[in-house]
Every structure is written in C-alpha cells, then in structure tokens.
Amino acid sequence: MRKKRIWKHITVIALAVAAATAAIDGISAYFTDTQEKTNTLTVGSVKTDLEEPEWEDVPSDEKTDITPNQTIKKDPRITNTGANDAYAFLEIQVPVKKIITVGPDGKKLPAADTELFTYKVNDGWVQVRSSDITTSGKVTARSYVYAYGTKTQCTVLKKGETTTPLFDSVTLVNAIEGQIDEETLNIPVKSYAIQAEHIGESKVPSDVFQIYMKQNQ
C-alpha cells in the first residue's frame, strides 16, 4: 500500500508540473520591444549657369564689322544654381594670328603670333593655367583658365550666388588693314565647377583645378 501511495504522489506532482508548464507557454504575456530607424539622406548637386548679360544686350550690328581698337562689352560670370557650395573656374580662348600690328607709339611692329583681343581681368579672379591651341602645327588660339578666388584660396560660391565678371569688355587688336578683314572671330568661354567640400585639404586654385581635370579627363 505504501508503494502505491508513493507512485500516486509522484503522478500528482508530474501532472502539476505539466499543467504549470502549459500555463507558462500558452497563457502568460511577456514585455518585448523592437526598434527600427530609416536614415534618409538627400544627395546634393553641383550646377551652374554661365551668363554674359552685358554681351547679350549689345546690339547685333555692333558685334559685326568691328574695327581695330574697338571695345565691346563682354562680361562672363557664373551663378551657382545647384544644392552645394562650389568652386568656380572660367576658361577663355583668344584667337591668335600672325599679323603686323601698330604699337602705342604709332609705329608698325614686326609680324608675330598675336592675340586678336585683349581684356583686363577683374579683381577676385586669378589665372591658373595657359596653353596654346594649335592646328596643323600653327598656333590658332590661346587658352586661359581663371579661378574665382586668390592665388592661395578658392572663393566659395554658395547656392544662389553669382561671381563678379571675369572681365567687362574685350578690345580688338590694332591690326594693319587687310590681315583680318571680314574674318569671323570667336572667343569661346567655358565654365567649370566642383564641390567645395570634401575634396582635400588644399584650397589653392591650381590644386583644386587639377582635381577637376583628373576626374574629367
């Protein structure tokens, strides 16, 4: 009789444990937590507009049949229309031809490769590069690149800002007649821009322009 009571007691305990386990698995509620974040980032942009408002206002007839020493308004400038601050550069190509010119004293000068237009660079710009452009071994133009800034520091062009004009006008060379008569002369202007942040420690214009050229070769 004693053994039966022991087994009966063990059976009761086992059933109680099973019931308790069922209660834990099927009835109890637990405190839990899950968190999630979505980090939204917006990619910026570098965009600019190249403008020449004074040049656009010059009447068409004043842009034709120009004469030696004549000055014409021409004012290239850059506006930052993008989302990010930028460093800005302008490239000017001046036509070159081997001609005879007249010096300030009124005397003829020997024939030489001569830039057909001159201009005065305004404050706030600095030259960073110059090179000859040749066609069939002859120099036909000379390229100049200018940075918006000083010799040691590019100037940041913020969103919506516009640079000062690189120059205000161009003047035709004082050429002896018959050498460039009725020729169509072009002065191509090209703008460049690169983000002002996270492009390296140096802000020297020549270094920054080199970064631009390496990326766009």
Side-chain angles (χ1 to χ4, degrees), residues 43-110:
V43 179
S45 64
V46 173
K47 295 181 181 179
T48 58
D49 282 343
L50 173 59
E51 303 166 316
E52 294 183 307
E54 294 291 338
W55 166 259
E56 297 297 334
D57 288 341
V58 175
S60 297
D61 58 349
E62 292 185 22
K63 298 176 183 178
T64 59
D65 301 327
I66 62 176
T67 58
N69 278 336
Q70 181 176 343
T71 297
I72 300 176
K73 292 180 180 179
K74 188 172 177 65
D75 54 333
R77 63 190 73 184
I78 299 172
T79 297
N80 184 353
T81 59
N84 292 77
D85 294 348
Y87 293 138
F89 301 84
L90 279 172
E91 179 182 6
I92 310 297
Q93 291 185 17
V94 183
V96 171
K97 188 172 183 179
K98 189 173 184 177
I99 58 173
I100 299 171
T101 59
V102 176
D105 58 0
K107 295 182 179 179
K108 290 185 180 180
L109 300 175

Side-chain angles (χ1 to χ4, degrees), residues 50 52 74 76 89-97 114-119 121 127 129-135 138-146 166-167 170-171 184-192 209 213:
L50 173 59
E52 294 183 307
K74 188 172 177 65
F89 301 84
L90 279 172
E91 179 182 6
I92 310 297
Q93 291 185 17
V94 183
V96 171
K97 188 172 183 179
T114 304
E115 295 180 10
L116 301 185
F117 290 94
T118 59
Y119 53 85
V121 177
Q127 182 180 318
R129 192 186 72 175
S130 65
S131 58
D132 289 340
I133 298 173
T134 60
T135 303
K138 293 179 59 178
V139 177
T140 55
R142 192 158 287 127
S143 166
Y144 295 95
V145 176
Y146 299 90
L166 175 60
F167 46 77
V170 293
T171 301
T184 299
L185 305 176
N186 296 311
I187 311 176
V189 181
K190 189 174 183 179
S191 66
Y192 305 93
F209 188 69
M213 293 302 294

